[in-house]
Amino acid sequence: MSDPLITSITDAKIPVGRVVAMGFDWLQDTFITAFDALELTLRSMIGGLEAALTVPHPFIIIAVFGALTWLLQRKWVSVLVVVLCAVFALNQGYWDLTMQTLTLVLASCVVCMGVGVPLGIYAAHHPRFYRVLTPVLDLMQTLPVFVYLIPVLVLFGLGMVPGLVATVIFAMPAAIRLTELGIRSTPRALSEAATAFGATTAQRIWKVELPFAFPQIMAGLNQTIMLSLSMVVIAGLVGAPGLGVSIVRALNTVNAALGFEAGAVIVAVAIMLDRMLRVEAKR
């Protein structure tokens, strides 16, 4: 026999799932035009980035990667590592898939940093707001991706856009937290000195706090890139092109060779991006 106390508790079940489902149904019915416009905007941004990476010859893109690494780090060893990682992706026959994955990573970084940095600055100046925001950020990173992937699929359908939205939800907390930490860590003496010399709030943020917080912000960018790369398989599950598609196909067919090839290329991309941004993130 079941315990009457347990039965009474389960009979009074809190309708969490039903309430959330009703909320998303209301969003879809009320803001369908706004979601369509957002999907079109994101799709256009993704299409432009993908064309910029896939249309030029691979050797041109590799040369650009090497040049960017040299400009950012001034180290030939880092340039060599970046070039070798890119050539490895080309050698394995995954160049187009690699560029599609980079498109997802770059698009997610643009959105995450464009929203996360201003939010982090505001949160650093409003501690009460950050205390309210903290549990939301915790939820974004701890809630299983497949849970919020379902309503994202309902709102945006299959393709790169739902993969981008899911990646942004997962990766944005890193940009917000590290920006807030960098701004909040600015020495009080510097801020007081800027104010004493007549600097406005905007001038103090741009000329004192942001330069001091720049290493933390770049660390946030680096974390956003790595978290975005960890989402490529999830993006492949919702129809986004890229290396995640190969891993999903390898999983469905139990193809170890295909899985390890695609996995090795993802590791090479991660090393390439890390070497490209490592020094800048420490400045």
Side-chain angles (χ1 to χ4, degrees), residues 219-237:
L221 174 60
N222 190 276
Q223 287 297 308
T224 300
I225 291 173
M226 296 305 149
L227 290 172
S228 300
L229 274 174
S230 70
M231 292 289 289
V232 295
V233 177
I234 304 299
L237 290 173

Side-chain angles (χ1 to χ4, degrees), residues 185-197 199 204 208-209 212:
S185 301
T186 303
R188 185 186 296 266
L190 289 179
S191 298
E192 291 177 351
T195 303
F197 280 101
R204 189 174 68 249
V208 177
E209 295 178 353
F212 187 86

Side-chain angles (χ1 to χ4, degrees), residues 113-156:
M113 300 305 289
V115 177
V117 171
L119 267 180
I121 295 173
Y122 185 83
H125 289 92
H126 299 82
R128 188 173 300 176
F129 170 76
Y130 186 65
R131 285 196 295 270
V132 175
L133 185 63
T134 298
V136 178
L137 299 179
D138 294 338
L139 182 66
M140 291 168 66
Q141 288 195 304
T142 57
L143 191 69
V145 178
F146 295 100
V147 174
Y148 56 75
L149 201 58
I150 299 171
V152 168
L153 282 173
V154 172
L155 295 174
F156 298 105

Side-chain angles (χ1 to χ4, degrees), residues 31-72:
F31 300 103
I32 185 64
T33 304
F35 283 118
D36 288 342
L38 178 61
E39 180 183 7
L40 180 61
T41 301
L42 293 177
R43 197 178 297 277
S44 300
M45 180 180 68
I46 291 170
L49 286 173
E50 185 175 357
L53 290 173
T54 56
V55 172
H57 193 277
F59 288 155
I60 296 178
I61 299 297
I62 293 173
V64 170
F65 288 165
L68 284 175
T69 305
W70 172 253
L71 289 175
L72 294 173

